[in-house]
Amino acid sequence: MKERLPDENEDIIILCKHGAIFNGTYSNNVWFCMDGYIYDTYKGNPIYSSMSSIPPSWEPIAWMPKPKFEE
C-alpha cells in the first residue's frame, strides 16, 4: 500500500512513536489530537486534550481512517 498523508480534516486514528493512539486529524501540515484523553507514557498518566497540535517529540508514525461500523 502506498504511503500518503491523510486528506485535509479527515477523521483518523493516529499512532505515535512512544505508543499513544488517539483520534485526530491532519490539517495544514499539522497533526491534531481531537477532544479526548491521551495516555502519555512519558509521564504515566492521561492528559486531556481538545483540538491541540501533537508535540513534535511524540512523532506520529502511522495513521488509519476511522473505521465505520455497520448498524
Side-chain angles (χ1 to χ4, degrees), residues 21-67:
I21 299 173
F22 50 87
N23 295 326
T25 192
Y26 183 78
S27 179
N28 295 319
N29 299 319
V30 178
W31 297 91
F32 287 97
C33 169
M34 302 303 275
D35 192 45
Y37 287 89
I38 302 170
Y39 185 77
D40 185 351
T41 55
Y42 292 135
K43 295 182 182 166
N45 60 348
I47 300 170
Y48 183 74
S49 175
S50 181
M51 200 57 192
S52 61
S53 60
I54 298 170
S57 62
W58 287 23
E59 195 179 339
I61 57 170
W63 68 273
M64 64 178 268
K66 225 187 224 179

